[in-house]
């Protein structure tokens, strides 16, 4: 399986061919540096010695500038015609399991471009009705594990995470790293602390003081929607 960095480079080449030259692509992107050329040529960094690759910031900027849809740069388009106007929104499904139980998982890579990522497209109308009617950027999909958030989420549900919404002051259901382990919990404000609540009544809630919160907790994003895949015999 090709890595996300490989796919981004291939899609960059695809875009250069579409626009005719790198200069014309840079003009369409309002860029006036040579970073895309260095990425395409896999130029070696003069100080650190690694080959230059495309990070999330540049990939998302290209998608936004060219109206390609979030995640387009991370998908395999080797058999596709270039979309003049796309009605699809691409979501990244990270190979990440977020615990809905009593113990977390620690499989969220610091460099997410190295993670095993699947890309799938959803119809824009479905996205607007089920996720967000205005903003299409900044959403990823992860998998729920465990039963502590039942009946809200079940084991194996695919959860859509708004990576832009990381403000725990607004109560809701969040994906968060606690001491390096990944959880799905309902966050509530209580005097002097943030409470982590399981929707399953058989699991106890726990509090983390506001003083410890910034040290122990990293908010990955708010859960805004879920997809439950039921199997029928």
């Amino acid at each position: 399986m090709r890595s996300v960095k490989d796919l981004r480079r291939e899609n960059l080449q695809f875009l250069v061919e579409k626009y005719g030259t790198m200069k014309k692509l840079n003009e369409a992107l309002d860029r006036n540096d040579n970073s895309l050329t260095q990425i395409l040529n896999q130029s070696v960094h003069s100080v650190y010695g690694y080959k230059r690759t495309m990070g999330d910031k540049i990939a998302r900027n290209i998608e936004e500038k060219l109206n390609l849809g979030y995640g387009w740069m991370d998908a395999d388009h080797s058999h596709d015609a270039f979309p003049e106007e796309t009605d699809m929104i691409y979501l990244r499904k990270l190979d990440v399991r977020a615990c809905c139980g009593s113990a977390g998982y620690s499989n969220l890579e610091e460099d997410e471009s190295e993670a095993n990522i699947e890309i799938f497209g959803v119809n824009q109308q479905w996205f607007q009705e089920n996720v967000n009617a205005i903003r299409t950027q900044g959403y990823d999909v992860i998998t729920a594990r465990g039963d502590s958030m039942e009946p809200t989420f079940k084991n194996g549900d695919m959860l859509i995470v708004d990576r832009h919404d990381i403000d725990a002051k607004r109560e809701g259901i969040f994906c968060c790293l606690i001491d390096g382990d990944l959880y799905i919990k309902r966050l509530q404000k209580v005097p002097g602390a943030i409470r982590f609540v399981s929707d399953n009544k058989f699991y106890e809630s726990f509090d983390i003081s506001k003083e410890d919160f910034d040290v122990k907790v990293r908010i990955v994003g708010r859960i805004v929607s879920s997809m439950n895949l039921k199997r029928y015999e």
Side-chain angles (χ1 to χ4, degrees), residues 100-112:
C100 296
S102 58
Y105 291 98
S106 55
N107 66 332
L108 180 65
E109 300 291 339
E110 196 66 31
D111 182 3
E112 293 175 19

Side-chain angles (χ1 to χ4, degrees), residues 162-203:
D162 183 351
R163 301 295 296 269
H164 289 178
D165 191 345
I166 57 174
D167 185 4
K169 295 177 183 177
R170 294 179 55 232
E171 296 183 353
I173 302 177
F174 287 87
C175 175
C176 48
L177 280 164
I178 305 175
D179 289 331
D181 289 340
L182 200 62
Y183 290 85
I184 300 294
K185 295 297 176 188
R186 189 179 299 277
L187 271 57
Q188 298 176 349
K189 292 184 293 184
V190 296
I194 300 294
R195 179 161 294 167
F196 293 76
V197 180
S198 299
D199 287 1
N200 188 330
K201 64 181 180 180
F202 293 105
Y203 287 81

Side-chain angles (χ1 to χ4, degrees), residues 136-150:
T136 61
Q137 300 280 323
Y139 296 93
D140 286 336
V141 178
I142 61 175
T143 304
R145 287 288 180 263
D147 62 355
S148 76
M149 290 303 291
E150 290 186 0

Side-chain angles (χ1 to χ4, degrees), residues 46-169:
S46 59
V47 176
Y48 300 106
Y50 58 77
K51 292 181 179 179
R52 295 182 186 272
T53 57
M54 184 181 296
D56 288 346
K57 184 177 181 179
I58 294 179
R60 304 290 84 83
N61 178 260
I62 291 174
E63 293 161 355
E64 183 175 5
K65 288 282 189 179
L66 302 182
N67 193 31
L68 295 172
Y70 184 86
W72 189 92
M73 290 297 295
D74 300 348
D76 182 359
H77 303 288
S78 57
H79 301 293
D80 298 346
F82 186 86
E84 296 294 341
E85 294 184 4
T86 179
D87 189 41
M88 301 296 290
I89 293 172
Y90 295 92
L91 296 173
R92 304 191 312 168
K93 183 178 183 295
L94 305 180
D95 185 18
V96 169
R97 297 167 299 282
C99 183
C100 296
S102 58
Y105 291 98
S106 55
N107 66 332
L108 180 65
E109 300 291 339
E110 196 66 31
D111 182 3
E112 293 175 19
S113 66
E114 297 290 350
N116 184 13
I117 299 175
E118 299 178 29
I119 303 293
F120 62 93
V122 296
N123 179 272
Q124 186 169 346
Q125 181 179 347
W126 181 92
F127 188 92
Q128 291 174 338
E129 292 175 353
N130 294 280
V131 181
N132 192 313
I134 301 173
R135 175 167 58 86
T136 61
Q137 300 280 323
Y139 296 93
D140 286 336
V141 178
I142 61 175
T143 304
R145 287 288 180 263
D147 62 355
S148 76
M149 290 303 291
E150 290 186 0
T152 308
F153 304 132
K154 298 183 183 298
N155 182 54
D157 281 0
M158 292 193 295
L159 310 179
I160 300 179
V161 185
D162 183 351
R163 301 295 296 269
H164 289 178
D165 191 345
I166 57 174
D167 185 4
K169 295 177 183 177

